[in-house]
């Protein structure tokens, strides 16, 4: 398909898509091509720059798309982490102890966040206590 910038004798500009260049000529000669604004059949092609796709342009577009996707994912992740922090109790260094109390019914079930050593994390998981690390995310602009 070929896209042409078109114009009529009354100065209206519009676009047209054609399977091949000769289709434009045939449609103009037959009077089939008309201005969508004033119905004039005196249509001509305007100068237009071809859109040439280069490897560099494709790479730039892909990089831009990836950066936009990365930004969107990071924003959603930050929103999720903020929601978890807002709805959880920070128990700090007592995290392993509190997680066990909740798991074994010794404390009310609630969302908690805190700190645990690698060994504590391994023991909690071995006991069947569901935990997950909460990521530390970069600040805006980093």
């Amino acid at each position: 398909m070929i896209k042409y910038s078109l114009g009529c004798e009354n100065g209206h500009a519009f676009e047209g898509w054609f399977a091949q260049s000769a289709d434009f000529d045939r449609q103009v000669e037959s009077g089939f091509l008309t201005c969508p604004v004033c119905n004039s059949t005196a249509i001509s092609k305007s100068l237009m720059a071809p859109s040439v796709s280069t490897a560099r342009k494709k790479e730039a577009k892909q990089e831009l798309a990836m950066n936009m996707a990365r930004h969107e994912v990071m924003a959603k992740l930050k929103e999720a982490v903020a929601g978890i922090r807002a709805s959880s109790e920070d128990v700090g260094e007592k995290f392993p102890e509190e997680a066990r109390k909740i798991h074994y019914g010794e404390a009310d079930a609630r969302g908690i966040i805190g700190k645990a050593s690698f060994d504590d994390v391994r023991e909690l998981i071995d006991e069947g206590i569901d935990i997950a690390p909460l990521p530390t995310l970069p600040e805006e602009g980093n």
Side-chain angles (χ1 to χ4, degrees):
M1 294 295 281
I2 302 170
K3 179 176 91 172
Y4 287 126
S5 292
L6 306 174
C8 74
E9 64 186 344
N10 297 315
H12 301 122
F14 56 99
E15 293 178 349
W17 290 84
F18 303 91
Q20 50 191 334
S21 181
D23 288 343
F24 167 79
D25 297 329
R26 279 193 293 274
Q27 289 182 26
V28 168
E29 289 171 14
S30 67
F32 181 73
L33 188 59
T34 61
C35 173
V37 178
C38 66
N39 274 345
S40 170
T41 56
I43 307 297
S44 61
K45 290 188 266 186
S46 301
L47 289 176
M48 55 186 290
S51 177
V52 178
S53 182
T54 64
R56 199 173 297 141
K57 280 185 180 180
K58 285 181 183 178
E59 287 174 11
K61 284 181 183 178
Q62 287 175 341
E63 186 175 335
L64 178 61
M66 289 301 293
N67 285 340
M68 290 173 64
R70 218 177 274 124
H71 178 74
E72 188 176 315
V73 167
M74 188 59 74
K76 288 181 181 181
L77 188 56
K78 285 180 180 181
E79 183 180 327
V81 169
I84 291 168
R85 289 188 184 283
S87 64
S88 301
E89 179 185 343
D90 190 346
V91 295
E93 301 290 333
K94 295 181 181 179
F95 180 82
E97 178 184 336
E98 288 297 314
R100 282 188 179 93
K101 286 180 182 179
I102 293 169
H103 180 74
Y104 293 112
E106 298 168 8
D108 291 337
R110 66 196 189 282
I112 61 171
I113 58 175
K115 297 182 189 240
S117 69
F118 182 76
D119 289 336
D120 286 333
V121 168
R122 184 180 297 145
E123 289 172 8
L124 290 169
I125 292 170
D126 287 345
E127 290 178 48
I129 300 173
D130 292 330
I131 61 171
L134 196 57
T136 303
L137 301 170
E139 294 299 317
E140 216 47 49
N142 292 341

